[in-house]
Amino acid sequence: ALYLLRLKRNATCLIQVERRGAGGGCSPSGQFLSAKRRVAAGAGNGFLHGIAGNEIAKVAFVDRQWRLRPVHLTRDGGFLYVCRNRNGCIDVIKAVNGYNRRGRLVSHERW
């Protein structure tokens, strides 16, 4: 499961919960999703997880062979992808991209 929490102290957190544990991270709310950062993504326990802003229609990551790998977006903009690699997602992902409804790249975060 993936949860987005907004704290009273002006922080927004993305929390991933699975049967073996939980993990996540927080950022100042103004920097979590913004004009410069339209996709917030993280990795842990063998998963790529994140959330996309309302203007994002498609999310894909760039793998180590420079291929685009689309990830499924839920209706509320969340995504969770299982990295089937012995080292989890660290050795798999080079960047995470977000595309608008016209298919234009509007967000690119290098890893």
Side-chain angles (χ1 to χ4, degrees), residues 33 37-40 51-57 59 73 76-77 101:
L33 286 178
R37 186 176 183 211
R38 297 175 182 184
V39 176
I51 189 159
N54 292 335
E55 67 278 7
I56 300 296
V59 172
L73 278 178
D76 57 359
R101 284 168 181 73

Side-chain angles (χ1 to χ4, degrees), residues 41-44 46-50 59-69 71 79-85 87-97 108-111:
F47 292 94
L48 168 66
H49 58 267
V59 172
F61 69 87
V62 181
D63 70 13
R64 292 293 176 185
Q65 287 77 38
W66 298 98
R67 293 180 298 221
L68 276 178
R69 303 287 185 168
V71 296
F79 59 90
L80 192 62
Y81 179 84
V82 179
C83 297
R84 296 190 189 328
N85 185 29
N87 292 330
C89 297
I90 299 300
D91 292 342
V92 176
I93 299 171
K94 292 185 76 65
V96 177
N97 293 342
H108 176 78
E109 183 179 344
R110 297 176 101 182
W111 281 40

Side-chain angles (χ1 to χ4, degrees), residues 2 9-10 13 15-17 19-21 26 35 59 70 72 81 84 105 107 111:
L2 192 61
R9 294 184 179 162
N10 197 28
C13 306
I15 310 295
Q16 173 196 331
V17 179
R19 69 183 116 127
R20 292 178 288 170
C26 300
V59 172
H72 174 73
Y81 179 84
R84 296 190 189 328
L105 177 67
S107 180
W111 281 40

